[in-house]
Amino acid sequence: MKLFESVRIALSSLMANKLRAGLTMLGVIIGVAAVIALMSIGRGASQAISNQIQSIGTNLLFVRPGASQQGGVRGQEGSAGTLTLEDSDALKNIEGIVAIAPEVDSFGQIVYQGNNMNARVLGVTPEYLDASTAAPASGEFISAANVSGRSLVTCLGSGVADELFPEQDPIGQTVRINNVPFRVACVMEPKGGTGFLSQDTQIFVPLTTAQTRLGRGGRFRGGNNIDVINIKLQDTQYSDSVTQQIGDILRERHRVVEDDFTVTSQADILSAATSVTDTLTIFLGGIAAISLIVGGIGIMNIMLVSVTERTREIGIRKAVGAKRSDILLQFLTEATVLSVFGGLIGVALGWSIASLMGNVSLGNTQIKPVVDTGAILIGVVFSVLIGLFFGTYPALRASALRPIEALRYE
């Protein structure tokens, strides 16, 4: 029996029981749709996170203090307080570095009249603009005079400005940061992002002001504590050599053999984030694939019922010359057709769900699902394999029937 003839007979048999065929395909439809929708949304989220990280820059290094230890208990990275402003100055002459920006980091409550919010507060120097992609949209960024004079000035992220000053210009206004009055000197360009990755929900103050007026002061080996040194490289090819030189200089300055600091690159952060989101995407796809197995069990169940119902038909076919392989092919084709049709409908449904999710915003970020040919191929191939795998046993059972016993079946 030719394959085309088997497909025609399979379609004819399925059309004779439309409702049963539709309900049988439902499990495969839901499974394939879930796989495509969840994998597309997962890849979209991964792409959004990657874009947010890359928007900061890819040729960056971050030097942070190591972890503190107390009573044999190790604290989190950055808790040791072993970096100083003088350490930052000592790294300026390394070849391949184009900008160095020390930073202290904290959180504070920002209040303007009846509006208030919590935001990340960064104590920085003018070099911060050179070491990052940040730029003021209006006003003037923190100057060297502001740093040396410990001025009470601040630059607001665009999200903070919109929240505190929804209908007026913030420049020149006075806000209170942890109950300390600051004059707004500038508003930063919007960068996007949500949560910790958002650059729009943070504010900037002079580094010395953060140390003396906002409780970020501290001393280590006679120097002023800082939380991170942001380093911009001339090119990513300098990353390894600069990292090595940073280690040599800081170990000598701190008089230690084992590093009491960490050096990470933006590429390391991007790689870690991508690894996590890829794992999450695979996990979501795996959960959705369970419903495909349930759909396959449904196909097997219906095909076994079909074999029982058509026992006399099988006996007649064998009696007029049909071979065992013909019967096997017929029922296997029928199961595969059920699965493939369900898979194609599931692809269309999953694509539609992913497209609808593209119009949903989570916070300030709109996740755009990535529906690629890989996800579609996975859905179609799995639906074919489900049909072949779960249709094999009913097909073998049908082909093994003896013609005389089948003709006697009532």
Side-chain angles (χ1 to χ4, degrees):
M1 184 183 293
K2 295 182 179 179
L3 180 60
F4 178 79
E5 183 67 15
S6 297
V7 173
R8 187 189 66 78
I9 295 174
L11 290 174
S12 177
S13 175
L14 295 176
M15 291 300 292
N17 297 279
K18 296 185 182 67
L19 181 60
R20 188 170 73 178
L23 293 175
T24 304
M25 289 190 296
L26 191 59
V28 177
I29 291 172
I30 293 174
V32 172
V35 168
I36 290 180
L38 290 178
M39 290 188 68
S40 299
I41 293 169
R43 288 177 178 174
S46 175
Q47 188 64 50
I49 292 173
S50 296
N51 290 341
Q52 290 176 17
I53 294 175
Q54 289 175 341
S55 68
I56 303 174
T58 56
N59 57 334
L60 301 179
L61 293 178
F62 306 98
V63 186
R64 293 184 173 85
S68 62
Q69 288 194 1
Q70 187 173 3
V73 179
R74 183 180 176 87
Q76 66 179 358
E77 292 294 332
S79 60
T82 54
L83 276 187
T84 65
L85 189 58
E86 291 70 21
D87 288 334
S88 176
D89 294 335
L91 304 178
K92 289 183 177 179
N93 295 325
I94 296 178
E95 182 182 0
I97 293 179
V98 296
I100 292 184
E103 174 188 314
V104 293
D105 191 349
S106 63
F107 286 86
Q109 185 180 40
I110 298 88
V111 179
Y112 176 74
Q113 295 181 356
N115 300 324
N116 73 89
M117 66 180 296
N118 291 318
R120 189 179 176 203
V121 182
L122 302 183
V124 298
T125 62
E127 290 77 20
Y128 185 85
L129 294 183
D130 300 324
S132 69
T133 59
S138 60
E140 295 184 358
F141 194 69
I142 294 165
S143 65
N146 295 144
V147 175
S148 60
R150 302 176 182 178
S151 303
L152 297 176
V153 296
T154 182
C155 287
L156 306 181
S158 61
V160 177
D162 292 341
E163 181 73 21
L164 298 182
F165 301 91
E167 298 179 354
Q168 61 178 318
D169 185 4
I171 305 299
Q173 302 294 332
T174 299
V175 298
R176 301 187 73 84
I177 304 174
N178 291 346
N179 212 30
V180 179
F182 281 77
R183 178 179 60 84
V184 178
C186 76
V187 175
M188 307 301 291
E189 291 181 348
K191 291 292 183 180
T194 58
F196 182 76
L197 290 174
S198 177
Q199 300 178 64
D200 297 337
T201 55
Q202 59 190 21
I203 65 174
F204 303 88
V205 299
L207 186 143
T208 51
T209 305
Q211 291 174 324
T212 56
R213 299 301 299 271
L214 297 179
R216 297 302 300 163
R219 305 283 290 179
F220 176 73
R221 295 185 184 274
N224 298 302
N225 277 129
I226 56 176
D227 293 321
V228 61
I229 302 174
N230 302 291
I231 298 176
K232 185 176 183 179
L233 303 178
Q234 183 177 339
D235 193 274
T236 53
Q237 66 179 2
Y238 290 98
S239 180
D240 292 339
S241 63
V242 170
T243 299
Q244 179 63 44
Q245 292 179 71
I246 289 172
D248 294 341
I249 291 173
L250 293 184
R251 279 189 290 271
E252 181 179 354
R253 285 184 54 81
H254 296 178
R255 301 184 183 91
V256 296
V257 176
E258 184 177 350
D259 292 350
D260 57 357
F261 57 89
T262 59
V263 183
T264 57
S265 68
Q266 193 73 339
D268 295 334
I269 297 173
L270 180 61
S271 176
T274 302
S275 176
V276 170
T277 53
D278 286 348
T279 302
L280 180 60
T281 300
I282 294 172
F283 177 70
L284 291 174
I287 293 176
I290 294 174
S291 58
L292 272 175
I293 298 175
V294 175
I297 294 173
I299 289 176
M300 178 185 285
N301 182 47
I302 292 301
M303 291 306 300
L304 287 172
V305 172
S306 180
V307 169
T308 302
E309 291 177 345
R310 296 159 62 185
T311 300
R312 283 184 62 84
E313 176 190 330
I314 295 169
I316 293 172
R317 288 181 180 275
K318 285 196 169 186
V320 297
K323 298 178 181 179
R324 181 172 180 174
S325 59
D326 295 330
I327 303 299
L328 177 68
L329 179 61
Q330 176 187 336
F331 281 87
L332 196 57
T333 302
E334 196 168 311
T336 305
V337 167
L338 265 176
S339 183
V340 169
F341 269 91
L344 294 176
I345 297 173
V347 167
L349 181 60
W351 198 324
S352 300
I353 293 172
S355 299
L356 289 174
M357 283 298 296
N359 298 321
V360 176
S361 295
L362 300 178
N364 297 324
T365 299
Q366 188 175 43
I367 294 179
K368 296 181 179 179
V370 180
V371 184
D372 57 12
T373 54
I376 294 174
L377 284 176
I378 288 174
V380 173
V381 169
F382 265 87
S383 64
V384 172
L385 293 177
I386 287 291
L388 290 173
F389 180 79
F390 287 97
T392 298
Y393 175 70
L396 287 172
R397 185 169 175 176
S399 65
L401 289 175
R402 296 181 179 180
I404 295 176
E405 294 179 357
L407 287 171
R408 288 177 178 173
Y409 184 82
E410 295 293 339

